[in-house]
Amino acid sequence: MMFKIFRKNHTTANIELENNDQMSALKLAAQKAADEFNLDEQTVQSSIFASAAQGNTILEDRAVFMYATSEKKHRVHTILLTFKDPVAWGNDQSLIDYLIVGVFPDKSSQKDVDELTQNITDKLHGSDLDDIKFNDTELNKLNQSFTE
């Protein structure tokens, strides 16, 4: 398909956070999701923070998944960020170097979120996350596979 060539790259690799902490990572994730999908940053940030407050979804011991909802979206999208230095996450201070944000349509159910979470888990499990951590092309392929 010719249109696939123009598909946006929703990944950012090798991010260095000024303050290498969870709050900085959450704010950056909200900003990136808002920019990528032309959404209001405050709305996305509130939604992501609410998702994070429900508990951390840690996948493969190194990736955190959170989500936002938007009335402007009609299908699920994801963004994928990797950090140069792992971020200590949650009460148990898990070392996170992958952050994935799902952006769901407003009418999405918990089942939709659970299905995407399972799909992401399966894709991460089959990937060599150390090898692709800083490879934009491979990260983009991985990110696209989450919602295909």
Coordinates of all heavy atoms in Angstrom, one line a residue, residues 60-94:
E60 N 7.2 -7.1 30.6 CA 8.5 -7.7 30.4 C 9.6 -7.1 31.3 O 10.7 -6.9 31.0 CB 9.0 -7.4 28.9 CG 8.2 -8.2 27.9 CD 8.3 -9.7 28.0 OE1 9.4 -10.2 27.9 OE2 7.3 -10.4 28.3
D61 N 9.2 -6.7 32.5 CA 10.1 -6.1 33.6 C 10.8 -4.9 33.2 O 11.7 -4.5 33.9 CB 11.1 -7.2 34.0 CG 10.4 -8.4 34.7 OD1 9.4 -8.2 35.4 OD2 11.0 -9.5 34.5
R62 N 10.4 -4.2 32.1 CA 11.1 -3.0 31.7 C 10.3 -2.0 30.9 O 10.8 -0.9 30.6 CB 12.4 -3.4 30.9 CG 12.0 -4.0 29.5 CD 13.2 -4.6 28.8 NE 14.1 -3.5 28.4 CZ 15.3 -3.8 27.8 NH1 15.6 -5.1 27.6 NH2 16.1 -2.9 27.5
A63 N 9.1 -2.3 30.6 CA 8.2 -1.4 29.8 C 7.0 -1.0 30.7 O 6.5 -1.9 31.4 CB 7.8 -2.0 28.5
V64 N 6.6 0.2 30.6 CA 5.4 0.6 31.3 C 4.3 1.0 30.2 O 4.7 1.6 29.2 CB 5.6 1.7 32.3 CG1 6.0 3.0 31.7 CG2 4.4 1.9 33.2
F65 N 3.1 0.5 30.4 CA 2.0 0.9 29.5 C 1.0 1.7 30.2 O 0.6 1.4 31.4 CB 1.4 -0.4 29.0 CG 0.1 -0.1 28.2 CD1 0.2 0.5 26.9 CD2 -1.1 -0.4 28.7 CE1 -0.9 0.8 26.2 CE2 -2.3 -0.2 27.9 CZ -2.2 0.4 26.7
M66 N 0.6 2.8 29.6 CA -0.5 3.6 30.2 C -1.4 4.1 29.0 O -1.0 3.9 27.9 CB 0.0 4.7 31.0 CG 0.8 5.7 30.2 SD 1.9 6.7 31.3 CE 2.7 5.4 32.2
Y67 N -2.5 4.7 29.3 CA -3.4 5.1 28.2 C -4.1 6.3 28.5 O -4.2 6.7 29.7 CB -4.3 3.9 27.8 CG -5.3 3.6 28.9 CD1 -6.5 4.2 29.0 CD2 -5.0 2.6 29.9 CE1 -7.4 3.8 30.0 CE2 -5.9 2.3 30.9 CZ -7.1 2.9 30.9 OH -8.0 2.6 31.9
A68 N -4.6 6.9 27.4 CA -5.5 8.1 27.5 C -6.7 7.8 26.6 O -6.6 7.0 25.7 CB -4.7 9.3 27.0
T69 N -7.7 8.6 26.8 CA -8.9 8.5 25.9 C -9.1 9.9 25.3 O -8.8 10.9 25.9 CB -10.2 8.0 26.6 OG1 -10.4 8.9 27.7 CG2 -10.0 6.6 27.2
S70 N -9.7 9.9 24.1 CA -10.0 11.1 23.4 C -11.2 11.0 22.5 O -11.3 10.0 21.8 CB -8.8 11.6 22.6 OG -9.2 12.7 21.8
E71 N -12.1 12.0 22.6 CA -13.3 12.0 21.7 C -12.8 12.2 20.3 O -13.6 12.0 19.3 CB -14.3 13.0 22.2 CG -14.0 14.5 21.8 CD -13.0 15.2 22.7 OE1 -12.6 14.6 23.8 OE2 -12.6 16.3 22.4
K72 N -11.6 12.7 20.0 CA -11.1 13.0 18.7 C -10.6 11.7 18.0 O -10.3 11.8 16.8 CB -10.0 14.0 18.7 CG -10.5 15.4 19.2 CD -9.4 16.4 19.1 CE -9.9 17.8 19.4 NZ -8.8 18.8 19.5
K73 N -10.5 10.6 18.7 CA -9.9 9.4 18.1 C -11.0 8.4 17.8 O -11.9 8.2 18.6 CB -8.8 8.8 19.0 CG -7.6 9.6 19.1 CD -6.8 9.6 17.8 CE -6.2 10.9 17.4 NZ -5.9 11.1 16.0
H74 N -10.9 7.8 16.6 CA -11.9 6.8 16.2 C -11.3 5.4 16.2 O -12.1 4.4 16.1 CB -12.5 7.1 14.9 CG -13.1 8.5 14.9 ND1 -14.2 8.9 15.6 CD2 -12.7 9.6 14.2 CE1 -14.4 10.1 15.4 NE2 -13.5 10.6 14.6
R75 N -10.0 5.3 16.4 CA -9.4 4.0 16.6 C -8.2 4.1 17.5 O -7.8 5.3 17.8 CB -9.0 3.4 15.2 CG -7.9 4.1 14.5 CD -7.5 3.4 13.2 NE -6.3 3.9 12.6 CZ -5.1 3.5 13.0 NH1 -4.9 2.5 13.9 NH2 -4.0 4.0 12.4
V76 N -7.7 3.0 18.0 CA -6.6 3.1 18.9 C -5.3 3.4 18.2 O -5.0 2.9 17.1 CB -6.5 1.7 19.6 CG1 -5.3 1.7 20.6 CG2 -7.7 1.4 20.3
H77 N -4.5 4.2 18.9 CA -3.1 4.6 18.4 C -2.2 4.3 19.6 O -2.6 4.4 20.7 CB -3.0 6.0 18.0 CG -3.9 6.4 16.9 ND1 -3.5 6.2 15.5 CD2 -5.2 6.9 16.8 CE1 -4.5 6.7 14.8 NE2 -5.5 7.1 15.5
T78 N -0.9 4.1 19.3 CA 0.1 4.0 20.3 C 1.3 4.8 20.0 O 1.6 5.1 18.8 CB 0.6 2.5 20.6 OG1 1.1 2.0 19.3 CG2 -0.6 1.7 21.1
I79 N 2.0 5.3 21.0 CA 3.3 5.9 20.9 C 4.3 5.1 21.7 O 3.9 4.5 22.7 CB 3.4 7.4 21.2 CG1 3.1 7.6 22.7 CG2 2.5 8.2 20.3 CD1 3.5 9.0 23.1
L80 N 5.5 5.0 21.3 CA 6.6 4.3 22.0 C 7.8 5.2 22.2 O 8.3 5.8 21.3 CB 6.9 3.1 21.2 CG 8.1 2.2 21.6 CD1 7.8 1.5 22.9 CD2 8.4 1.1 20.5
L81 N 8.2 5.3 23.5 CA 9.4 6.0 23.9 C 10.4 5.1 24.5 O 10.0 4.2 25.3 CB 9.0 7.1 24.9 CG 7.8 8.0 24.5 CD1 7.5 9.0 25.7 CD2 8.0 8.8 23.3
T82 N 11.7 5.3 24.2 CA 12.7 4.6 25.0 C 13.6 5.6 25.6 O 13.9 6.7 25.1 CB 13.5 3.6 24.1 OG1 14.3 4.4 23.2 CG2 12.6 2.6 23.4
F83 N 14.1 5.3 26.8 CA 14.9 6.2 27.6 C 16.4 5.7 27.6 O 16.7 4.5 27.7 CB 14.5 6.3 29.1 CG 13.1 6.8 29.1 CD1 12.0 6.0 29.4 CD2 12.8 8.2 28.9 CE1 10.7 6.5 29.5 CE2 11.5 8.7 29.0 CZ 10.5 7.8 29.3
K84 N 17.3 6.7 27.4 CA 18.7 6.3 27.5 C 19.1 5.7 28.8 O 19.8 4.7 28.8 CB 19.6 7.6 27.2 CG 21.0 7.3 27.2 CD 21.9 8.5 26.9 CE 23.3 8.1 26.8 NZ 24.2 9.2 26.9
D85 N 18.6 6.3 29.9 CA 18.9 5.8 31.2 C 17.5 5.3 31.8 O 16.6 6.1 31.8 CB 19.5 6.8 32.1 CG 20.8 7.3 31.6 OD1 21.7 6.5 31.3 OD2 21.0 8.5 31.4
P86 N 17.4 4.1 32.3 CA 16.2 3.6 32.9 C 15.6 4.6 34.0 O 16.4 5.2 34.7 CB 16.5 2.2 33.5 CG 17.7 1.8 32.7 CD 18.5 3.1 32.4
V87 N 14.3 4.6 34.1 CA 13.6 5.5 35.0 C 13.1 4.6 36.1 O 12.4 3.5 35.8 CB 12.5 6.2 34.4 CG1 11.7 7.1 35.4 CG2 13.0 7.1 33.2
A88 N 13.4 4.9 37.4 CA 12.8 4.1 38.5 C 11.3 4.4 38.6 O 10.9 5.5 38.7 CB 13.5 4.5 39.8
W89 N 10.5 3.3 38.6 CA 9.1 3.5 38.4 C 8.3 2.8 39.5 O 8.6 1.7 39.9 CB 8.7 2.8 37.1 CG 7.4 3.5 36.5 CD1 6.2 3.1 36.8 CD2 7.4 4.5 35.5 NE1 5.3 3.9 36.0 CE2 6.0 4.8 35.3 CE3 8.4 5.3 34.9 CZ2 5.6 5.8 34.4 CZ3 7.9 6.3 34.0 CH2 6.6 6.5 33.8
G90 N 7.3 3.5 40.0 CA 6.4 3.0 41.0 C 7.0 2.8 42.4 O 8.2 3.1 42.6
N91 N 6.2 2.2 43.2 CA 6.7 1.9 44.6 C 7.8 1.0 44.7 O 8.7 1.1 45.5 CB 5.5 1.4 45.5 CG 4.4 2.4 45.6 OD1 4.6 3.6 45.5 ND2 3.2 1.9 45.8
D92 N 7.9 0.0 43.7 CA 9.0 -1.0 43.8 C 10.2 -0.5 42.9 O 11.2 -1.2 42.8 CB 8.5 -2.3 43.3 CG 7.9 -2.3 41.9 OD1 7.8 -1.2 41.3 OD2 7.4 -3.4 41.4
Q93 N 10.1 0.7 42.4 CA 11.2 1.3 41.7 C 11.7 0.4 40.5 O 12.9 0.3 40.3 CB 12.3 1.7 42.6 CG 11.9 2.7 43.7 CD 11.7 4.1 43.1 OE1 12.7 4.8 42.8 NE2 10.5 4.5 43.0
S94 N 10.8 -0.2 39.8 CA 11.2 -1.0 38.6 C 11.9 -0.1 37.6 O 11.6 1.1 37.4 CB 9.9 -1.5 37.9 OG 9.2 -2.3 38.7

